[in-house]
Amino acid sequence: MTRDTRICFIGDSFVQGIGDPEYRGWVGRVLAKTPGDLTAFNLGVRRNTSEDVRHRCWREVLPRTLPDADNRLVVSFGSNDAVVEDGTVRVEPARCLDNLAALLDESRRRAIAPLVVGPPPVIDAGAAHTRRTLHLADAMAALCRARHIPFVATTRDLSDDPVWTREAMAGDGAHPGAGGYQTLAGLVLAGPWHTWIARGDHHPS
């Protein structure tokens, strides 16, 4: 009997794949390299912060799950949280971590297995934004480790990646093209993704 695996990807414009002329983003590329019978839902929304994602998560995710299915949730946000508007970051780091913790704890409570993809850098937001995003990503990784939830680090690798940087600056300054999203997909696939997909349980020991 084939396992019915349903994966909701929720987050911001990087999840949505903005800027990719092929309209696949990293999510589509990861799915194309993942064996098995998967049903996937891209719930990325441009400019979303962790606050926005926490607010809408369950009303969007729950209708896409089934009681007897292997339900999964991929969460990715933080880049917009670290953007400065009117002299302050959109969402303070402590609040972003609270939002992530709340989503992960509720996901576990609902027997929906979570995985977190760290926030990509926004290249034209400058070095200070990258530093803030790196610090936030490190704190996210620690939070996930404490909960035994897989985390994919992306910020540092992408900020140093010439394809991601070149494509972002050739576009809107934030979003790459096909090559950059391929690089991000490669980071996800090289991380805990395949182990996470293959695991049938929701509660690691």
Side-chain angles (χ1 to χ4, degrees):
M1 180 174 165
T2 303
R3 187 173 60 178
D4 179 9
T5 301
R6 292 172 163 249
I7 311 175
C8 288
F9 295 81
I10 196 162
D12 52 25
S13 55
F14 291 119
V15 173
Q16 192 181 0
I18 293 293
D20 181 7
E22 299 176 13
Y23 298 98
R24 293 194 292 150
W26 67 264
V27 171
R29 287 173 169 81
V30 166
L31 291 168
K33 295 291 187 180
T34 305
D37 182 16
L38 306 175
T39 303
F41 306 92
N42 192 320
L43 307 177
V45 173
R46 195 167 193 168
R47 280 185 54 81
N48 260 200
T49 64
S50 63
E51 200 83 5
D52 299 318
V53 173
R54 181 178 179 180
H55 180 69
R56 67 184 174 89
C57 180
W58 302 114
R59 72 170 183 264
E60 296 186 20
V61 169
L62 292 180
R64 294 169 169 86
T65 64
L66 287 176
D68 296 329
D70 179 8
N71 299 303
R72 308 294 185 104
L73 178 66
V74 178
V75 178
S76 184
F77 52 55
S79 303
N80 287 314
D81 295 53
V83 168
V84 171
E85 288 186 349
D86 301 322
T88 185
V89 292
R90 292 183 64 196
V91 179
E92 291 291 338
R95 179 62 181 170
C96 178
L97 294 172
D98 285 346
N99 290 331
L100 179 60
L103 286 176
L104 297 179
D105 292 348
E106 182 66 11
S107 181
R108 280 283 180 75
R109 193 183 73 78
R110 295 180 179 275
I112 299 173
L115 177 145
V116 179
V117 175
V122 177
I123 299 302
D124 76 345
H129 177 274
T130 300
R131 283 194 298 273
R132 288 193 299 275
T133 310
L134 280 167
H135 289 149
L136 182 60
D138 288 345
M140 287 178 163
L143 187 153
C144 289
R145 276 196 303 273
R147 285 166 166 76
H148 305 287
I149 289 169
F151 178 86
V152 179
T154 70
T155 318
R156 184 169 280 102
D157 285 342
L158 294 177
S159 65
D160 293 336
D161 184 74
V163 175
W164 179 278
T165 302
R166 183 177 67 250
E167 290 186 349
M169 294 310 294
D172 62 4
H175 304 96
Y181 280 115
Q182 181 61 53
T183 300
L184 177 46
L187 293 175
V188 175
L189 290 166
W193 176 263
H194 290 295
T195 302
W196 179 72
I197 284 290
R199 199 183 71 223
D201 66 296
H202 298 104
H203 304 284
S205 57

